[in-house]
Amino acid sequence: MMMRVPEAFAAIMATVRDFGTETVPFEKATGRVLRETIYADRPFPPFDRVMMDGISIYYDSYIRGQRVFGLEDVQAAGMPQMQLRNLADCMEVMTGAVLPDLTDTVIPYEHLDISEHEGFRRFTIVKEVKKGQFIHRAGSDAPEGKPLLEPGIRLGAAEAGVLATVGKTQVLVSKLPRVVLIATGNELVPVENKPEAHQLRISNIYNLAAALQGLGIQAEMVHLPDDIQHLTTHLNKLIPAADLLICTGAVSAGKYDHLPEVLKKAGMQEIFHTVQQRPGKPLLFGAFQNGPVVFALPGNPVSGFMCYYRYVQPWLKACLQDAANKPEFAVLEEDVTFDKPLEYYLPVKLKCSPEGAWLATPAVYHGSGDLASLLLADAFMALPADQDVFRKGSSFPVWKFR
Ligand SMILES: Nc1nc2c(c(=O)[nH]1)N[C@H]1C(S)=C(S)[C@@H](COP(=O)(O)OP(=O)(O)OC[C@H]3O[C@@H](n4cnc5c(N)ncnc54)[C@H](O)[C@@H]3O)O[C@H]1N2
Ligand code: MOO
Ligand SMILES: [Mg+2]
């Protein structure tokens, strides 16, 4: 059944499922989707923290006119809090130290003249001082118990530091699905082979495997010939061991495009076959009862790649409960005409304008067989089916692949 893009997408999203959760060591959690709330276990920072190397004083002494301070002791980072005994003295303090008790103002070395008097160091203030300066107050960034990370966040570098600082050594994340990538085609040879004149190296499943790695997924990769018997035998083995099957090729009108028939015979319920779009029109989508969901992507390399970013990745992100799962928008930089009643996925190069908007220039592109054109593009821009002329300056959704 031929579908329009919005209905095809809705039908895909209706099959979203939860693969569950698992607990992993936080160092291994980068790139995974968080499934619990992470709270501040202590105030951020946990104590009044000295922000500059220098001295700390009791401000009232300064306001009464005192400018020269004798040294009482040194408070370094890692030392329990000390106390100033004589309010007319100062403590030498280091960045990261606890602010000594009975001091309330920090003066960096750069604002001091340092001299020696009878074997004792003395500090003379040479710059105006404000009460409370250079103190990072306890709890000023976050109070104890504040939720810092919410479920649905994909854990990155910034999150790794926060997990470490709150002592969250084990984190609950979305479990990853078992994904099998299947390349079909008698013309395909392994990448390490030298192809004959009529052959080519398998490429589609490698760009898809790399894209899946961006979600933390390591897919199993298989190459099958265009032969009903082989396809049937292998698929029957792969289906029970997968949550998601992504096939490429053999879904169009060719004599050797056996995949739709083989998948249906194996028990897949077809949800749709063909979408009103270019590229990617022959896309087949289905599901096995109590078994994997199947995206059978068209074989032309740009078609499969585009369908991955337009359909497969949003489906996977929704399954993983990734909160960041919406296309962005960009402004078209040139007039584009496309007069077929199909949604057109235009490969575009993106750049950011000085005003901070994404600008999209159509990439040089020779059609959906032009694998190398992807090197010149950053995203697919979706130009709707019910329009023929797309004007420079108009904004459309973009599915980014960089
Ligand atoms: N009579 C019609 N012919 C075609 C139609 C149509 O509607 N009517 N649709 C065209 C469109 S659109 C596409 S896209 C392709 C889709 O074809 P298939 O999904 O059946 O894919 P194949 O026939 O197996 O291969 C197409 C093309 O892609 C190359 N390919 C396939 N897999 C790989 C791979 N893993 N790595 C590299 N290259 C791959 C393959 O060699 C072919 O050149 O059909 C049109 N035809
Ligand atoms: O999906 Mo096909 O790529 O329109 O060429
Ligand atoms: Mg074909």
Side-chain angles (χ1 to χ4, degrees), residues 71-381:
L71 179 65
E72 207 165 86
D73 215 327
V74 181
Q75 173 97 55
M79 290 168 73
Q81 189 187 33
M82 298 165 119
Q83 191 181 64
L84 190 68
R85 288 182 296 274
N86 178 350
L87 296 183
D89 284 343
C90 71
M91 295 286 269
E92 203 164 0
V93 289
M94 301 302 131
T95 304
V98 183
L99 182 73
D101 193 21
L102 301 183
T103 73
D104 55 14
T105 300
V106 169
I107 303 158
Y109 288 130
E110 294 84 335
H111 300 175
L112 297 166
D113 261 353
I114 306 169
S115 54
E116 247 191 65
H117 181 72
E118 295 172 355
F120 293 98
R121 286 171 81 210
R122 285 202 320 199
F123 297 86
T124 306
I125 297 172
V126 295
K127 202 161 174 216
E128 196 198 330
V129 172
K130 286 205 187 83
K131 187 172 184 183
Q133 68 183 22
F134 301 118
I135 297 165
H136 188 187
R137 288 287 172 197
S140 60
D141 297 342
E144 182 179 332
K146 183 185 174 181
L148 297 172
L149 301 175
E150 300 286 356
I153 287 175
R154 190 169 287 277
L155 297 169
E159 288 74 24
V162 169
L163 291 173
T165 211
V166 302
K168 188 74 186 157
T169 54
Q170 300 285 323
V171 282
L172 192 69
V173 295
S174 295
K175 222 175 185 169
L176 298 171
R178 299 161 302 166
V179 180
V180 182
L181 275 171
I182 301 168
T184 64
N186 291 345
E187 74 281 24
L188 305 175
V189 298
V191 289
E192 52 280 5
N193 286 23
K194 190 169 161 42
E196 303 288 340
H198 56 281
Q199 297 176 322
L200 60 154
R201 295 191 182 94
I202 301 169
S203 66
N204 288 355
I205 53 172
Y206 289 95
N207 55 18
L208 298 174
L212 288 163
Q213 278 174 29
L215 300 181
I217 297 169
Q218 290 293 337
E220 184 186 339
M221 291 158 88
V222 183
H223 171 214
L224 301 178
D226 293 317
D227 168 272
I228 295 180
Q229 205 46 57
H230 271 96
L231 282 169
T232 305
T233 312
H234 282 92
L235 279 169
N236 281 333
K237 271 191 232 144
L238 294 167
I239 289 159
D243 299 305
L244 170 62
L245 284 184
I246 306 174
C247 310
T248 79
V251 288
S252 189
K255 263 188 114 139
Y256 307 98
D257 291 339
H258 300 305
L259 204 53
E261 172 199 337
V262 169
L263 283 166
K264 273 185 262 177
K265 280 228 177 87
M268 185 195 78
Q269 188 214 338
E270 179 186 304
I271 297 172
F272 63 78
H273 190 185
T274 67
V275 182
Q276 287 179 16
Q277 60 182 7
R278 178 173 294 171
K281 190 167 155 205
L283 173 65
L284 166 66
F285 179 69
F288 288 88
Q289 193 147 33
N290 304 316
V293 158
V294 182
F295 289 88
L297 311 181
N300 277 338
V302 179
S303 308
F305 197 68
M306 171 254 148
C307 288
Y308 173 83
Y309 284 98
R310 178 64 185 88
Y311 301 107
V312 185
Q313 182 170 280
W315 181 85
L316 275 169
K317 284 188 165 186
C319 294
L320 297 172
Q321 301 190 21
D322 186 335
N325 196 13
K326 286 258 163 13
E328 293 174 46
F329 284 79
V331 177
L332 198 52
E333 277 275 85
E334 288 174 17
D335 286 351
V336 174
T337 304
F338 183 73
D339 60 4
K340 310 265 178 318
L342 303 170
E343 184 149 317
Y344 187 40
Y345 285 85
L346 176 70
V348 292
K349 185 85 199 153
L350 294 176
K351 67 168 193 256
C352 199
S353 76
E355 293 76 35
W358 286 112
L359 303 179
T361 309
V364 177
Y365 172 55
H366 305 115
S368 61
D370 186 3
L371 174 62
S373 70
L374 296 173
L375 305 176
L376 307 175
D378 302 313
F380 293 101
M381 180 174 249

Side-chain angles (χ1 to χ4, degrees), residues 29-44:
T30 302
R32 304 289 295 271
V33 177
L34 184 66
R35 292 291 287 276
E36 62 175 320
T37 306
I38 305 293
Y39 299 94
D41 66 324
R42 310 162 74 195
F44 272 44

